[in-house]
Amino acid sequence: MTATLIWILVALVAVGLYLSWTAGRLDRLHARIDAARAALDAQLLRRASVAQELATSGVLDPAASIVLYEAAHAARQAEEEQREVVESELSQALRAVFAEAQQVEEVRAAPGGEEAARELTEAVRRVPMARRFHNDAVRAARALRRHRKVRWFRLAGHAPFPMAFEMDDEPPAALVDRAS
């Protein structure tokens, strides 16, 4: 009888340790999502800021400046619910403005244009990477949260279900090709 109680106690402790480890893993994944989202937000803000600076620099033609400025301004001012849409619109505006290599060369030829083009190139390259890191962390957390043990024992607590950030982040080909 005593041996049976000891084995039951050992099994309960083992299950408790396993559940504790799983809850800790889930907590680390949520922390990773938060860090990845902060990095993504920083890269999106950097891209919008550089695009807005370039739009107001006088280097671009007036129509391109207006299109780029409005898209960058909307991206910087967007509410969380509209963020994916306005960031996609900024990507589309960047592709429209820098559709041809000639436009990139005109920017580079202007005073201070080489640095502005380099900053914009870096910003448009980093956004897809930051978004991929964020979405990978979300995918891992979602996979763990789908397990029965996590749902049954409510190991996620009151943490909201992680959502991926889906947007059009295709960089302008003329801008990226020139930098390669």
Side-chain angles (χ1 to χ4, degrees), residues 63-75:
S65 292
I66 290 171
V67 167
L68 194 56
Y69 180 82
E70 287 179 355
H73 182 71

Side-chain angles (χ1 to χ4, degrees), residues 3 10 36 70 84 93 97 110 171:
V10 167
E70 287 179 355
E84 294 173 351
V97 170

Side-chain angles (χ1 to χ4, degrees), residues 67-140:
V67 167
L68 194 56
Y69 180 82
E70 287 179 355
H73 182 71
R76 290 184 71 179
Q77 302 298 319
E79 297 292 325
E80 192 60 36
E81 303 83 42
Q82 296 297 317
R83 189 89 188 268
E84 294 173 351
V85 173
V86 295
E87 292 294 347
S88 293
E89 289 171 355
L90 177 56
S91 295
Q92 293 165 1
L94 285 165
R95 282 197 307 273
V97 170
F98 295 105
E100 299 175 7
Q102 177 187 1
Q103 185 69 25
V104 176
E105 293 306 322
E106 288 176 13
V107 168
R108 289 185 188 281
E114 187 70 36
E115 185 176 332
R118 183 183 51 77
E119 283 184 44
L120 185 60
T121 301
E122 288 176 9
V124 299
R125 281 185 168 180
R126 288 180 180 170
V127 166
M129 286 188 293
R131 189 175 73 86
R132 205 168 346 192
F133 288 138
H134 175 267
N135 288 349
D136 286 346
V138 166
R139 198 171 302 113

Side-chain angles (χ1 to χ4, degrees), residues 13-37:
V13 167
V15 167
L17 286 173
Y18 178 70
L19 291 175
S20 174
W21 176 81
T22 304
R25 181 171 169 227
L26 190 58
D27 186 51
R28 288 188 301 276
L29 282 171
H30 281 274
R32 190 171 124 202
I33 289 170
D34 290 342
R37 182 58 190 245

Side-chain angles (χ1 to χ4, degrees), residues 1 3 12 42 48 52 54 64 68 92 109 125 131 137 153 160-161 175:
M1 175 87 169
L12 287 174
Q52 202 169 20
L54 191 58
L68 194 56
Q92 293 165 1
R125 281 185 168 180
R131 189 175 73 86
F153 293 102
F161 194 74
L175 193 63

